[in-house]
Amino acid sequence: MQHLFSLQKGRSEALRRESAAERIRRLQRLHDWITQHRDDIRAALYHDFRKPATETDVTEIYATQAEIRHAIKHLRQWMRPRRVGTPLALLGTTSWVQYEPKGVCLVMAPWNYPFYLAIGPLVSALAAGNCCIVKPSEITPGVAALIARLVTEVFDPAEVSAVEGDKDVATALLQLPFDHIFFTGSPQVGKIVMRAAAEHLASVTLELGGKSPAVIDDTADLRDAAEKLVWGKCINAGQTCVAPDYLLVHERVKDQLVKEIRQVLNRFYDAQGRGVAQSDSFARIVNGNHFRRLARLLEDAQQRGATIAVGGSVDHAQCFIEPTVLLNAPSDSAVMQEEIFGPLLPVQTFSNLMEAVDFINARPHPLAMYVFTRNAENQRYLLGHVPAGGACVNDTIVHLGHPELPFGGFGNSGIGRAHGHYGFVAFSNEKAVLQQRVGKTGIKMFYPPYTERVHKMVGWLLKFL
């Protein structure tokens, strides 16, 4: 690891001077490899998750290639110095913001979307002109091996390298003086990453998690909401950082919404009546440890008085947990305290929007919030009163795929922004440049000695400028 880091440190100065065309060629090679190895990516995700091929195509391959294509299309524009205005006090100067690479960066990827969340940040790092070491998750060994192969076949190791291994490897990497660290994972590990980065005063992007609520008021189209909630909750078997973690439903429409959710689950995953476990459209929990954690959440909720309205079956041999709707889970139950990261969906009710807002805001700021309503005033109230990393109105998750929107958390759910131009900026140093004319300038009027004339000029400056 020290050798790779030194290699990249030496190479980073050359990358700093590269043109947009050279960066684009590097990104295009990455895009072409992904296109040519679509079946290999599908196989790796099926090995680790039994993830349906169509889900892999949409959430891992398309999402990654869309990020690359967007960067290629806009990179020349992003790299141009950005002119800024001139205040009267600095009349005669010209100023701009110049973007330069940070240097050598580390991308630490999670296991839930192990391809997209490794390669997506890499795209931003390369677009910004950096060298990069990628650490894929050891929890998904099939994808980790695939990423190592991709990096070897596409890049010079002095520019991009992949390092496989467990938490000891991650700890060793964090001891190196990277210029920027991009980490996706839990808030608990995010704090460890931030402490390690502080040792070298490295900047960080932390894409974390939390309990993302969905609020469904009494004006919502319940059938439409049910479809979008089920899709957002069940894609990747609920192992999605922005999945709806719990529902806050107006008490007048709770029973009807649960009925609609039941019907949607049957239509999506059990149309033939053989059970969701037989569906080719539903993934599995990534491993036994995470399966047991989810099974404990379900058991704890039931012991504390929650009832199962839909689903509830589990199969340890398959790491399978059926999409499960829980009613009346106490606020202090584990399923209402921890980020679920699985297909369990607690449903709570409210009688007015203030009650719903207070419930959400009593917890750490969520990574995402979802609002289902046909009332514009309710929409404004919820978006204006609930701090969150991002939000969707009448949908779930899809804001993550919009290349012109910043993606990231707020407080406990993350620091910094990713995707598109925001990802490019995260991996760039925004250098402020001011060019002054030679000779007589306005600033010279305020040079010492501080005579009465200078004193009057300062007074005029404070009063009028």
Side-chain angles (χ1 to χ4, degrees), residues 42 49 54 56 80 116 135 166 197 199 231 238 250 261 321 332 340 367 377 397 401 408 422 446:
R42 285 171 152 188
F49 282 102
T54 302
T56 294
R80 290 192 197 107
Y116 170 53
K135 164 64 175 70
D166 58 14
E199 288 298 315
W231 177 78
H250 195 284
I261 289 174
I321 293 185
D332 62 350
I340 294 172
L367 182 57
E377 184 57 38
I397 291 185
Y422 301 93
F446 304 102

mmCIF file of all heavy atoms in Angstrom, residues 42 49 54 56 80 116 135 166 197 199 231 238 250 261 321 332 340 367 377 397 401 408 422 446:
data_model
loop_
_atom_site.group_PDB
_atom_site.id
_atom_site.type_symbol
_atom_site.label_atom_id
_atom_site.label_comp_id
_atom_site.label_asym_id
_atom_site.label_seq_id
_atom_site.Cartn_x
_atom_site.Cartn_y
_atom_site.Cartn_z
ATOM 1 N N ARG A 42 -22.897 -8.745 -13.863
ATOM 2 C CA ARG A 42 -24.123 -9.423 -13.423
ATOM 3 C C ARG A 42 -23.795 -10.668 -12.604
ATOM 4 O O ARG A 42 -24.396 -10.916 -11.550
ATOM 5 C CB ARG A 42 -24.948 -9.843 -14.637
ATOM 6 C CG ARG A 42 -25.692 -8.724 -15.353
ATOM 7 C CD ARG A 42 -26.259 -9.274 -16.636
ATOM 8 N NE ARG A 42 -27.455 -8.596 -17.088
ATOM 9 C CZ ARG A 42 -28.197 -9.017 -18.097
ATOM 10 N NH1 ARG A 42 -27.875 -10.127 -18.747
ATOM 11 N NH2 ARG A 42 -29.281 -8.350 -18.464
ATOM 12 N N PHE A 49 -25.213 -11.571 -3.951
ATOM 13 C CA PHE A 49 -26.537 -11.178 -3.458
ATOM 14 C C PHE A 49 -27.690 -12.007 -4.002
ATOM 15 O O PHE A 49 -28.825 -11.799 -3.592
ATOM 16 C CB PHE A 49 -26.864 -9.739 -3.901
ATOM 17 C CG PHE A 49 -26.226 -8.646 -3.128
ATOM 18 C CD1 PHE A 49 -25.128 -7.990 -3.629
ATOM 19 C CD2 PHE A 49 -26.720 -8.233 -1.910
ATOM 20 C CE1 PHE A 49 -24.532 -6.947 -2.943
ATOM 21 C CE2 PHE A 49 -26.142 -7.195 -1.212
ATOM 22 C CZ PHE A 49 -25.052 -6.555 -1.725
ATOM 23 N N THR A 54 -31.724 -7.744 -13.984
ATOM 24 C CA THR A 54 -32.314 -6.453 -14.352
ATOM 25 C C THR A 54 -31.992 -5.392 -13.315
ATOM 26 O O THR A 54 -31.702 -4.238 -13.659
ATOM 27 C CB THR A 54 -33.838 -6.582 -14.522
ATOM 28 O OG1 THR A 54 -34.108 -7.570 -15.518
ATOM 29 C CG2 THR A 54 -34.464 -5.267 -14.937
ATOM 30 N N THR A 56 -29.337 -5.368 -11.435
ATOM 31 C CA THR A 56 -27.930 -5.060 -11.649
ATOM 32 C C THR A 56 -27.760 -4.104 -12.816
ATOM 33 O O THR A 56 -27.001 -3.133 -12.740
ATOM 34 C CB THR A 56 -27.125 -6.347 -11.890
ATOM 35 O OG1 THR A 56 -27.126 -7.132 -10.700
ATOM 36 C CG2 THR A 56 -25.686 -6.038 -12.273
ATOM 37 N N ARG A 80 -13.105 24.647 -16.899
ATOM 38 C CA ARG A 80 -12.820 26.041 -17.207
ATOM 39 C C ARG A 80 -12.821 26.883 -15.925
ATOM 40 O O ARG A 80 -13.669 26.711 -15.057
ATOM 41 C CB ARG A 80 -13.873 26.614 -18.153
ATOM 42 C CG ARG A 80 -13.815 26.067 -19.558
ATOM 43 C CD ARG A 80 -14.690 26.893 -20.483
ATOM 44 N NE ARG A 80 -14.952 26.150 -21.713
ATOM 45 C CZ ARG A 80 -16.116 25.597 -22.036
ATOM 46 N NH1 ARG A 80 -17.155 25.729 -21.210
ATOM 47 N NH2 ARG A 80 -16.262 24.933 -23.153
ATOM 48 N N TYR A 116 -21.317 0.109 -8.216
ATOM 49 C CA TYR A 116 -21.650 1.514 -8.456
ATOM 50 C C TYR A 116 -21.000 2.436 -7.433
ATOM 51 O O TYR A 116 -20.459 3.498 -7.785
ATOM 52 C CB TYR A 116 -23.170 1.678 -8.432
ATOM 53 C CG TYR A 116 -23.668 3.089 -8.429
ATOM 54 C CD1 TYR A 116 -23.236 4.002 -9.387
ATOM 55 C CD2 TYR A 116 -24.583 3.519 -7.475
ATOM 56 C CE1 TYR A 116 -23.694 5.303 -9.398
ATOM 57 C CE2 TYR A 116 -25.056 4.828 -7.477
ATOM 58 C CZ TYR A 116 -24.614 5.712 -8.437
ATOM 59 O OH TYR A 116 -25.070 7.006 -8.427
ATOM 60 N N LYS A 135 -10.753 0.910 -2.455
ATOM 61 C CA LYS A 135 -10.858 -0.200 -1.508
ATOM 62 C C LYS A 135 -12.293 -0.750 -1.577
ATOM 63 O O LYS A 135 -13.214 -0.200 -0.984
ATOM 64 C CB LYS A 135 -10.539 0.290 -0.092
ATOM 65 C CG LYS A 135 -10.972 -0.637 1.051
ATOM 66 C CD LYS A 135 -10.261 -1.974 1.039
ATOM 67 C CE LYS A 135 -10.642 -2.807 2.274
ATOM 68 N NZ LYS A 135 -12.058 -3.288 2.222
ATOM 69 N N ASP A 166 -9.722 -6.830 4.438
ATOM 70 C CA ASP A 166 -10.708 -6.608 5.491
ATOM 71 C C ASP A 166 -10.455 -5.273 6.196
ATOM 72 O O ASP A 166 -9.760 -4.392 5.674
ATOM 73 C CB ASP A 166 -10.689 -7.768 6.486
ATOM 74 C CG ASP A 166 -9.316 -7.969 7.129
ATOM 75 O OD1 ASP A 166 -8.456 -7.064 7.008
ATOM 76 O OD2 ASP A 166 -9.110 -9.018 7.768
ATOM 77 N N ALA A 197 -8.621 10.900 8.906
ATOM 78 C CA ALA A 197 -8.345 11.980 7.952
ATOM 79 C C ALA A 197 -7.805 13.208 8.672
ATOM 80 O O ALA A 197 -6.953 13.938 8.136
ATOM 81 C CB ALA A 197 -9.616 12.323 7.180
ATOM 82 N N GLU A 199 -5.783 13.391 11.052
ATOM 83 C CA GLU A 199 -4.349 13.266 11.326
ATOM 84 C C GLU A 199 -3.514 13.895 10.220
ATOM 85 O O GLU A 199 -2.399 14.352 10.449
ATOM 86 C CB GLU A 199 -3.971 11.791 11.501
ATOM 87 C CG GLU A 199 -4.469 11.175 12.790
ATOM 88 C CD GLU A 199 -3.870 11.852 14.016
ATOM 89 O OE1 GLU A 199 -2.638 12.087 14.023
ATOM 90 O OE2 GLU A 199 -4.623 12.165 14.952
ATOM 91 N N TRP A 231 -41.285 -0.461 -4.317
ATOM 92 C CA TRP A 231 -40.091 -0.529 -5.169
ATOM 93 C C TRP A 231 -38.881 0.027 -4.432
ATOM 94 O O TRP A 231 -37.811 -0.588 -4.405
ATOM 95 C CB TRP A 231 -40.320 0.248 -6.459
ATOM 96 C CG TRP A 231 -39.105 0.267 -7.336
ATOM 97 C CD1 TRP A 231 -38.652 -0.736 -8.139
ATOM 98 C CD2 TRP A 231 -38.161 1.342 -7.471
ATOM 99 N NE1 TRP A 231 -37.483 -0.353 -8.765
ATOM 100 C CE2 TRP A 231 -37.167 0.917 -8.380
ATOM 101 C CE3 TRP A 231 -38.082 2.626 -6.915
ATOM 102 C CZ2 TRP A 231 -36.099 1.731 -8.743
ATOM 103 C CZ3 TRP A 231 -37.014 3.434 -7.275
ATOM 104 C CH2 TRP A 231 -36.035 2.989 -8.181
ATOM 105 N N GLY A 238 -33.956 -4.208 0.141
ATOM 106 C CA GLY A 238 -33.963 -3.176 1.172
ATOM 107 C C GLY A 238 -32.592 -2.710 1.611
ATOM 108 O O GLY A 238 -32.489 -1.851 2.491
ATOM 109 N N HIS A 250 -50.949 9.253 7.533
ATOM 110 C CA HIS A 250 -52.091 9.872 8.193
ATOM 111 C C HIS A 250 -53.049 8.783 8.649
ATOM 112 O O HIS A 250 -53.336 7.830 7.921
ATOM 113 C CB HIS A 250 -52.803 10.834 7.249
ATOM 114 C CG HIS A 250 -53.740 11.757 7.952
ATOM 115 N ND1 HIS A 250 -54.980 11.350 8.409
ATOM 116 C CD2 HIS A 250 -53.608 13.069 8.313
ATOM 117 C CE1 HIS A 250 -55.582 12.365 9.006
ATOM 118 N NE2 HIS A 250 -54.780 13.418 8.964
ATOM 119 N N ILE A 261 -50.261 -1.758 -0.322
ATOM 120 C CA ILE A 261 -48.899 -2.303 -0.266
ATOM 121 C C ILE A 261 -48.928 -3.817 -0.403
ATOM 122 O O ILE A 261 -48.111 -4.413 -1.124
ATOM 123 C CB ILE A 261 -48.203 -1.873 1.045
ATOM 124 C CG1 ILE A 261 -47.873 -0.375 0.998
ATOM 125 C CG2 ILE A 261 -46.942 -2.697 1.290
ATOM 126 C CD1 ILE A 261 -47.318 0.181 2.289
ATOM 127 N N ILE A 321 -35.308 -12.806 3.740
ATOM 128 C CA ILE A 321 -36.317 -12.201 4.600
ATOM 129 C C ILE A 321 -37.397 -11.620 3.692
ATOM 130 O O ILE A 321 -37.109 -10.807 2.811
ATOM 131 C CB ILE A 321 -35.725 -11.124 5.512
ATOM 132 C CG1 ILE A 321 -34.772 -11.778 6.524
ATOM 133 C CG2 ILE A 321 -36.814 -10.342 6.234
ATOM 134 C CD1 ILE A 321 -34.208 -10.844 7.561
ATOM 135 N N ASP A 332 -39.180 2.968 20.973
ATOM 136 C CA ASP A 332 -37.897 2.560 21.528
ATOM 137 C C ASP A 332 -37.471 1.167 21.073
ATOM 138 O O ASP A 332 -36.458 0.646 21.540
ATOM 139 C CB ASP A 332 -37.924 2.628 23.050
ATOM 140 C CG ASP A 332 -38.958 1.680 23.670
ATOM 141 O OD1 ASP A 332 -39.781 1.112 22.911
ATOM 142 O OD2 ASP A 332 -38.940 1.511 24.899
ATOM 143 N N ILE A 340 -32.440 0.212 9.257
ATOM 144 C CA ILE A 340 -32.859 -1.176 9.060
ATOM 145 C C ILE A 340 -31.997 -1.881 8.017
ATOM 146 O O ILE A 340 -31.506 -2.980 8.238
ATOM 147 C CB ILE A 340 -34.349 -1.228 8.669
ATOM 148 C CG1 ILE A 340 -35.195 -0.735 9.842
ATOM 149 C CG2 ILE A 340 -34.753 -2.657 8.289
ATOM 150 C CD1 ILE A 340 -36.665 -0.560 9.531
ATOM 151 N N LEU A 367 -30.828 10.865 5.649
ATOM 152 C CA LEU A 367 -30.191 11.006 4.349
ATOM 153 C C LEU A 367 -31.212 11.422 3.291
ATOM 154 O O LEU A 367 -30.895 12.172 2.371
ATOM 155 C CB LEU A 367 -29.533 9.674 3.958
ATOM 156 C CG LEU A 367 -28.763 9.625 2.644
ATOM 157 C CD1 LEU A 367 -27.666 10.677 2.599
ATOM 158 C CD2 LEU A 367 -28.163 8.228 2.437
ATOM 159 N N GLU A 377 -49.469 22.931 -0.218
ATOM 160 C CA GLU A 377 -49.119 23.530 1.065
ATOM 161 C C GLU A 377 -48.498 22.500 1.999
ATOM 162 O O GLU A 377 -47.517 22.777 2.711
ATOM 163 C CB GLU A 377 -50.349 24.156 1.714
ATOM 164 C CG GLU A 377 -50.056 24.891 3.025
ATOM 165 C CD GLU A 377 -49.009 25.981 2.871
ATOM 166 O OE1 GLU A 377 -49.016 26.663 1.826
ATOM 167 O OE2 GLU A 377 -48.182 26.133 3.795
ATOM 168 N N ILE A 397 -36.165 7.324 -3.898
ATOM 169 C CA ILE A 397 -34.847 6.925 -4.382
ATOM 170 C C ILE A 397 -34.376 7.633 -5.650
ATOM 171 O O ILE A 397 -33.182 7.877 -5.812
ATOM 172 C CB ILE A 397 -34.785 5.379 -4.591
ATOM 173 C CG1 ILE A 397 -34.835 4.669 -3.243
ATOM 174 C CG2 ILE A 397 -33.547 4.949 -5.343
ATOM 175 C CD1 ILE A 397 -34.664 3.162 -3.341
ATOM 176 N N GLY A 401 -30.402 9.280 -8.783
ATOM 177 C CA GLY A 401 -29.948 9.076 -10.153
ATOM 178 C C GLY A 401 -29.959 10.318 -11.018
ATOM 179 O O GLY A 401 -29.688 10.220 -12.221
ATOM 180 N N GLY A 408 -26.007 13.648 -1.005
ATOM 181 C CA GLY A 408 -25.228 13.540 0.219
ATOM 182 C C GLY A 408 -26.110 13.706 1.434
ATOM 183 O O GLY A 408 -27.323 13.926 1.321
ATOM 184 N N TYR A 422 -20.976 18.227 -8.733
ATOM 185 C CA TYR A 422 -20.722 18.263 -7.297
ATOM 186 C C TYR A 422 -19.619 17.274 -6.914
ATOM 187 O O TYR A 422 -18.811 17.557 -6.028
ATOM 188 C CB TYR A 422 -22.011 17.976 -6.532
ATOM 189 C CG TYR A 422 -23.105 18.957 -6.853
ATOM 190 C CD1 TYR A 422 -24.041 18.683 -7.851
ATOM 191 C CD2 TYR A 422 -23.189 20.175 -6.185
ATOM 192 C CE1 TYR A 422 -25.039 19.601 -8.164
ATOM 193 C CE2 TYR A 422 -24.173 21.100 -6.497
ATOM 194 C CZ TYR A 422 -25.097 20.802 -7.490
ATOM 195 O OH TYR A 422 -26.069 21.714 -7.805
ATOM 196 N N PHE A 446 -5.343 53.187 0.661
ATOM 197 C CA PHE A 446 -5.468 52.848 2.083
ATOM 198 C C PHE A 446 -4.143 52.401 2.697
ATOM 199 O O PHE A 446 -4.099 51.930 3.823
ATOM 200 C CB PHE A 446 -6.516 51.745 2.253
ATOM 201 C CG PHE A 446 -7.861 52.108 1.680
ATOM 202 C CD1 PHE A 446 -8.279 51.608 0.453
ATOM 203 C CD2 PHE A 446 -8.700 52.976 2.348
ATOM 204 C CE1 PHE A 446 -9.519 51.937 -0.077
ATOM 205 C CE2 PHE A 446 -9.939 53.318 1.830
ATOM 206 C CZ PHE A 446 -10.346 52.808 0.615
#
